[in-house]
């Protein structure tokens, strides 16, 4: 994954203070936020001037992460964000591998920059935009890649409590609480060291998962009421309309993790959640699967998306009903992809 020549060149670049920007994907999750802030804390200890530019607002339940209050939001503070990116001497793009994952406007702006970019990501089929590309789909999270990247550069001593907490958060969330298949012995060794560096694992879990609002739990209840099974294809799906989101005062992050409930049903190996977004004119989709059911290829072929074999996302410009019907109609093709 880490080419020695690229590592040495990056270490030479980082040997003296630089202006560095870190960019995550749109709608950042725990892995995007954790990897970006973990790297930010590391680079600041080397006296770099570091900014983290998120395409849009991150979920409130991640707001406790160290330095989360300093994140620049491209869609809210566009000119400040553009200035930071334009003046950067090096840009890291983390947890995504195609500019369009940052949104149409930010993606187009990134494409105009003539600045060295280092890509660190674990998704399939990276675009060819980065001078330094660390892409490895065997990892379960970008945060674990950041941990290995820091060590490969020889900066292990810089993994303090703040760095460790950020990295731990991304590993915990992207591994589904250490239960997904890409959770390896190396993952647990990494986590053990992070806890040794000061991570309060119980507190992190509580902040992530035991911090819901009443409305969020009510929305979860409605989602479970809407859960449907497609037994002939060992599949399930959940729908949430814009009206239902509005009814429970939806906030960013409120639907995080709901899709996974569809896989807890006996003999269900593929699931999806369809979330209507009237403002953007789309239906946002998340897919999950078990075993060899490749929802990455499924999302790419039918729903303008992609991701991993067992976890992917997509979107549809059709109505919610039409999108669900398209999903059901194409389930028969899933095993042929």
């Amino acid at each position: 994954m880490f080419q020695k020549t690229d590592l040495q060149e990056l270490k030479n670049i980082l040997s003296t203070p630089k202006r560095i920007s870190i960019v995550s994907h749109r709608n950042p999750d725990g892995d995007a936020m954790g990897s970006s802030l973990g790297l930010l804390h590391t680079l600041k200890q080397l006296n770099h001037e570091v900014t983290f530019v998120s395409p849009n607002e991150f979920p409130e339940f991640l707001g406790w992460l160290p330095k989360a209050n300093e994140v620049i939001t491209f869609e809210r503070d566009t000119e400040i964000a553009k200035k930071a990116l334009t003046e950067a001497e090096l840009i890291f793009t983390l947890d995504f591998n195609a500019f369009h994952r940052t949104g149409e406007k930010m993606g187009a702006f990134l494409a105009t920059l003539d600045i060295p970019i280092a890509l660190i990501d674990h998704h399939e089929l990276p675009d060819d935009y980065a001078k330094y590309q660390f892409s490895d789909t065997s990892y379960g999270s970008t945060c674990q890649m950041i941990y290995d990247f820091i060590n490969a550069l020889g900066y292990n001593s810089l993994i303090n409590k703040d760095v460790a907490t950020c990295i731990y958060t991304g590993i915990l969330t992207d591994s589904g609480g250490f239960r997904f298949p890409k959770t390896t012995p190396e993952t647990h060794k990494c986590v053990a060291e992070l806890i040794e560096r000061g991570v309060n694992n119980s507190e992190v879990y509580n902040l992530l998962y035991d911090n819901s609002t009443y409305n969020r739990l009510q929305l979860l209840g409605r989602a479970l009421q809407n859960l449907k099974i497609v037994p002939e294809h060992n599949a399930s799906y959940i729908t949430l309309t814009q009206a239902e989101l509005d009814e429970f005062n939806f906030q960013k992050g409120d639907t995080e993790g709901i899709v996974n409930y569809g896989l807890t049903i006996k003999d269900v190996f593929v699931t999806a959640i369809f979330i209507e977004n009237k403002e953007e004119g789309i239906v946002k989709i998340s897919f999950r699967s078990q075993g060899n059911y490749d929802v990455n290829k499924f999302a790419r072929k039918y729903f303008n998306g992609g991701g991993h074999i067992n976890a992917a996302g997509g979107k549809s410009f059709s109505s919610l009903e039409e999108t669900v019907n398209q999903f059901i109609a194409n389930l028969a093709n899933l095993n042929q992809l």
Side-chain angles (χ1 to χ4, degrees):
M1 177 191 68
F2 299 120
Q3 298 295 324
K4 287 185 177 180
T5 52
D6 285 353
L7 280 170
Q8 188 56 54
E9 193 169 333
L10 277 172
K11 189 164 185 178
N12 290 339
I13 292 171
L14 298 174
S15 64
T16 55
K18 297 288 189 303
R19 293 186 302 276
I20 299 173
S21 283
I22 299 170
V23 178
S24 74
H25 58 74
R26 198 170 187 275
N27 299 319
D29 55 6
D31 194 26
M33 290 290 291
S35 58
S36 298
L37 289 171
L39 182 60
L40 178 144
H41 284 285
T42 303
L43 295 176
K44 278 184 173 290
Q45 293 178 73
L46 295 169
N47 298 315
H48 298 294
E49 182 182 330
V50 191
T51 55
F52 169 21
V53 180
S54 172
N56 62 345
E57 299 288 350
F58 56 84
E60 185 179 341
F61 70 85
L62 294 171
W64 57 271
L65 284 166
K67 297 287 187 186
N69 61 314
E70 297 182 10
V71 175
I72 298 172
T73 303
F74 187 90
E75 293 181 8
R76 183 190 62 206
D77 305 311
T78 304
E79 294 309 312
I80 296 173
K82 285 183 175 180
K83 185 174 187 292
L85 292 166
T86 303
E87 294 179 353
E89 296 167 88
L90 176 66
I91 294 175
F92 285 90
T93 64
L94 306 185
D95 203 36
F96 71 96
N97 57 20
F99 283 154
H100 69 82
R101 291 292 317 282
T102 63
E104 184 177 345
K105 291 182 180 179
M106 186 172 181
F109 178 75
L110 288 172
T112 68
L113 299 176
D114 186 21
I115 297 167
I117 294 177
L119 176 157
I120 303 178
D121 178 63
H122 65 134
H123 297 87
E124 295 183 357
L125 302 174
D127 283 358
D128 185 23
Y129 66 80
K131 182 175 182 180
Y132 311 102
Q133 186 177 104
F134 305 126
S135 175
D136 193 333
T137 60
S138 69
Y139 278 82
S141 67
T142 299
C143 273
Q144 190 175 341
M145 294 183 74
I146 290 294
Y147 170 84
D148 282 352
F149 178 66
I150 292 170
N151 280 290
L153 289 173
Y155 297 147
N156 179 272
S157 63
L158 301 181
I159 302 178
N160 57 22
K161 182 178 180 179
D162 286 343
V163 174
T165 297
C166 293
I167 293 175
Y168 178 88
T169 296
I171 294 175
L172 175 64
T173 55
D174 247 33
S175 69
F178 309 110
R179 74 182 189 273
F180 292 161
K182 290 182 181 178
T183 303
T184 63
E186 287 70 29
T187 305
H188 287 290
K189 290 173 186 176
C190 166
V191 165
E193 180 176 347
L194 297 176
I195 293 173
E196 287 175 349
R197 297 298 175 97
V199 173
N200 185 331
N201 54 304
S202 296
E203 181 181 356
V204 170
Y205 186 94
N206 289 339
L207 288 167
L208 289 171
Y209 300 114
D210 295 337
N211 203 19
S212 295
T213 63
Y214 176 78
N215 277 330
R216 183 170 188 260
L217 291 180
Q218 292 295 300
L219 182 63
L220 170 61
R222 178 61 56 82
L224 294 179
Q225 286 180 326
N226 294 347
L227 175 64
K228 301 287 189 297
I229 300 176
V230 190
E232 62 271 27
H233 296 302
N234 300 104
S236 67
Y237 66 89
I238 292 170
T239 58
L240 283 171
T241 66
Q242 184 67 62
E244 288 170 322
L245 297 175
D246 294 342
E247 179 182 353
F248 299 109
N249 191 30
F250 169 76
Q251 303 296 314
K252 184 178 290 292
D254 281 355
T255 57
E256 189 82 18
I258 291 179
V259 63
N260 296 315
Y261 283 90
L263 283 183
T264 65
I265 303 168
K266 184 180 179 182
D267 296 326
V268 166
F269 306 114
V270 179
T271 193
I273 186 170
F274 301 91
I275 303 172
E276 190 175 43
N277 188 318
K278 289 286 191 182
E279 182 180 351
E280 295 185 22
I282 63 170
V283 175
K284 182 182 175 184
I285 314 165
S286 291
F287 301 99
R288 296 292 185 270
S289 68
Q290 295 177 356
N292 295 320
Y293 290 88
D294 193 336
V295 290
N296 170 49
K297 291 181 179 178
F298 188 76
R300 284 180 180 275
K301 183 167 184 178
Y302 299 113
F303 293 103
N304 309 290
H308 307 283
I309 290 176
N310 298 124
K315 61 184 176 182
S316 168
F317 298 97
S318 301
S319 69
L320 182 60
E321 182 179 1
E322 290 170 338
T323 302
V324 170
N325 288 338
Q326 183 184 359
F327 168 71
I328 295 171
N330 288 311
L331 279 172
N333 303 323
L334 187 56
N335 280 332
Q336 301 169 19
L337 296 176

